[in-house]
Structure formats: structure tokens, C-alpha cells
Amino acid sequence: MKHNNIIIMSALALVISLTGCGNINKLSEYDMTGISFIEYTDIDTVCEDKELINAGSNLLSDQEDNLLLSYVVDSAIELSAELGDYDHLVFTNPKWIENFGDSGKLKPIEYSSLSK
């Protein structure tokens, strides 16, 4: 009987410890007050429509002073050969880094030292 109690308590402890491993919204870690979030997963559709290209360009131009931009290229886009020793390529603007990052942790890399 004691052995069964230990097994039940261990299983219960495992279940309780795994409840924190679910899908967590990473944005909830940051102060998002006044910030809207737009995510594209099918950018090709947008880029193939001239009207959408113009509308997007105008929106970005109009909001230039307010935008926090971050675009990540990873395994979803096949660039393994082009990325060389890197596994991600992130395009961002200084406003995004100021709001979400720590520029002190960034290491400058000269463009000429990057792999082709």
C-alpha cells in the first residue's frame, strides 16, 4: 500500500511540475502597453499583389517614427548555406532593441567579416 502511495504521489508531482511547460505567450513577458502586434506567416501572398505592396509601404512610411520592427529568418526559410555558422538572421530596428532588448549584450560584427 505504501508503495502505491509513493507511485501516486510521484505521478501527481510530475503532472503538477509539467503544467508550467505548456504554450506560453512570449509577449506576455514584456510591457506591451500601447503596442499592436502584426505577424506574417505567408509574406509571398502580400508580395505578389501590387496594391498590397503599395498599401504596406505607405503604412510603414506613415508610421516610421512609431514602429518597432523585428523580422526573423530561421529554418522556416531555407538559407542554411547562406547563413554559414549562424542559425538565425534577425532584422530589427534600434527602436525595437531599445524597447525589448539590451544593446549592451550585442556584439558588433563588421559586414565584411560575414560569410557570403
Side-chain angles (χ1 to χ4, degrees):
M1 187 69 161
K2 189 174 188 177
H3 181 68
N4 287 344
N5 286 345
I6 292 173
I7 291 173
I8 292 171
M9 289 175 57
S10 297
L12 191 58
L14 178 64
V15 169
I16 290 171
S17 66
L18 290 177
T19 58
C21 296
N23 188 7
I24 297 172
N25 180 1
K26 293 296 282 179
L27 293 178
S28 65
E29 297 177 19
Y30 303 102
D31 178 12
M32 298 292 290
T33 306
I35 297 177
S36 297
F37 176 77
I38 298 173
E39 176 181 352
Y40 284 102
T41 55
D42 181 16
I43 195 68
D44 293 337
T45 302
V46 174
C47 292
E48 292 170 357
D49 185 322
K50 191 74 168 166
E51 276 187 52
L52 287 176
I53 292 171
N54 289 334
S57 177
N58 291 339
L59 172 68
L60 294 175
S61 295
D62 291 345
Q63 294 299 315
E64 184 176 359
D65 294 333
N66 303 315
L67 291 176
L68 307 173
L69 299 173
S70 176
Y71 181 73
V72 179
V73 176
D74 57 13
S75 61
I77 298 174
E78 185 54 45
L79 286 174
S80 307
E82 289 82 358
L83 290 177
D85 296 334
Y86 302 97
D87 59 1
H88 284 74
L89 178 61
V90 179
F91 296 93
T92 183
N93 67 341
K95 288 185 73 104
W96 189 94
I97 294 171
E98 290 168 13
N99 200 71
F100 295 116
D102 179 357
S103 60
K105 291 182 179 180
L106 296 177
K107 178 177 89 174
I109 298 175
E110 291 297 321
Y111 181 77
S112 60
S113 71
L114 295 174
S115 62
K116 293 186 185 216

